[in-house]
Amino acid sequence: WGKNETTKKAMASTTKIMTAIVLLENLGINNNLTLDSEIEVCKQAGVIGGSRLGLKTGDKVTVNDLLYGLMLCSRK
């Protein structure tokens, strides 16, 4: 039994949740990455459109803030 089980749906939210889980599970494993670590936005990531965070190449953001931004509601 199911409800709309054959209806195709976008995977965006599931992908965001899985990305967050994988990152959280791997903090501190084989590296020194913590929630307070600062990450610099690379050129490739800085030119991708569609982000509501408005990150630009060279911006420095903590892992914690990136996770928070990842879980914001997507545009509809």
Side-chain angles (χ1 to χ4, degrees), residues 52-65:
R52 294 170 70 176
L53 298 179
L55 297 175
K56 295 178 181 59
T57 302
D59 287 350
K60 293 185 179 177
V61 189
T62 65
V63 171
N64 187 64
D65 289 343

Side-chain angles (χ1 to χ4, degrees), residues 20-60:
I21 289 170
V22 169
L23 176 61
L24 289 170
E25 287 180 343
N26 289 284
L27 285 176
I29 297 176
N30 298 325
N31 59 43
N32 296 323
L33 191 66
T34 68
L35 288 175
D36 295 324
S37 298
E38 279 195 341
I39 306 295
E40 184 171 337
V41 177
C42 67
K43 183 179 179 181
Q44 293 161 304
V47 297
I48 294 174
S51 171
R52 294 170 70 176
L53 298 179
L55 297 175
K56 295 178 181 59
T57 302
D59 287 350
K60 293 185 179 177

